[in-house]
Amino acid sequence: MAVLDWITPDSGLALDGEGVRLRPPRMGDFPEWAELRQASRTFLQPWEPTWPTDDLTRAAFRRRLSLYQRDQDLGQGYAFLVFRKPDYAMVGGITLRNIIRGVAQTGAVGYWAGQPHVRCGYTLAAVKSVSRFAFGRLGLHRLEAACCPENVASHRLLLKAGFEAEGRARSYLKINGEWRDHLLFGLVNPNAD
């Protein structure tokens, strides 16, 4: 365990899926995370918010972990890194954020995959695992996800994971420096009453 792993203690929270294991990130994950993100930068940037100039630094990673922990402590979000079984190489990440309770009981799913690991089924398995976690342990009623219309791979992934296309939102998120339209997807808890 790295010296700074105390920032996000091992809560024992881990999710298993087909060929993957998900767990909250720790400071000790920084070198592998930074290497994978840097190697995948050109692939990821068209689909993500503009990266801060210090995005791949330890300090920025530490801030990211603090935000993730705060969201988890408040029950507003969960962040996971995705590891391939059986060698536990990091392949990407996934979040369940913007959890709203009360009459909504909903959350938003976002994910990324390192370029060497795309189209291997890892992200699909991660989305399915987070969906089971959200509907089971968290008792949510609905999940939402969004992707740029040009991101056909993400669109297909969400449909394979059981999400349904629900529409298009104009200028929905600022991606890579521009306000971009997004396709909206939803998944309702199959065991909802």
Side-chain angles (χ1 to χ4, degrees):
M1 178 188 272
V3 174
L4 294 176
D5 274 355
W6 61 269
I7 292 174
T8 52
D10 186 357
S11 63
L13 177 61
L15 310 177
D16 286 304
E18 188 174 334
V20 296
R21 170 158 264 212
L22 286 63
R23 68 157 171 78
R26 299 186 281 239
M27 198 62 210
D29 295 319
F30 171 74
E32 188 175 8
W33 175 87
E35 182 179 334
L36 182 58
R37 296 281 295 174
Q38 180 60 44
S40 304
R41 186 179 199 128
T42 302
F43 171 74
L44 294 171
Q45 278 190 318
W47 317 118
E48 295 188 352
T50 302
W51 292 16
T53 55
D54 72 339
D55 196 52
L56 298 179
T57 65
R58 284 188 182 278
F61 190 71
R62 190 174 301 115
R63 287 191 304 271
R64 183 182 299 261
L65 294 184
S66 294
L67 290 172
Y68 290 158
Q69 189 62 52
R70 186 208 63 177
D71 282 354
Q72 186 170 326
D73 290 346
L74 295 172
Q76 296 175 345
Y78 295 83
F80 300 95
L81 290 175
V82 181
F83 298 90
R84 171 182 66 205
K85 292 180 184 177
D87 65 352
Y88 292 99
M90 186 185 302
V91 298
I94 188 166
T95 57
L96 172 60
R97 300 192 74 187
N98 302 324
I99 294 174
I100 301 171
R101 293 298 186 169
V103 297
Q105 297 296 327
T106 190
V109 177
Y111 47 83
W112 64 274
Q115 188 171 13
H117 309 291
V118 298
R119 294 179 179 80
C120 295
Y122 304 129
T123 306
L124 177 60
V127 170
K128 288 180 176 180
S129 295
V130 165
S131 298
R132 284 192 300 272
F133 170 71
F135 293 146
R137 181 168 169 180
L138 300 182
L140 296 181
H141 176 71
R142 174 182 164 78
L143 295 177
E144 298 173 352
C147 64
C148 295
E150 303 81 13
N151 192 342
V152 176
S154 191
H155 178 180
R156 289 182 182 150
L157 182 143
L158 289 167
L159 293 175
K160 284 182 186 176
F163 283 73
E164 293 181 25
E166 296 185 333
R168 184 182 186 116
R170 291 187 48 211
S171 295
Y172 187 65
L173 296 173
K174 195 169 191 178
I175 300 296
N176 201 21
E178 296 179 18
W179 287 102
R180 304 276 304 275
D181 290 0
H182 278 66
L183 300 177
L184 305 178
F185 296 82
L187 178 64
V188 175
N189 185 340
N191 301 316
D193 40 0

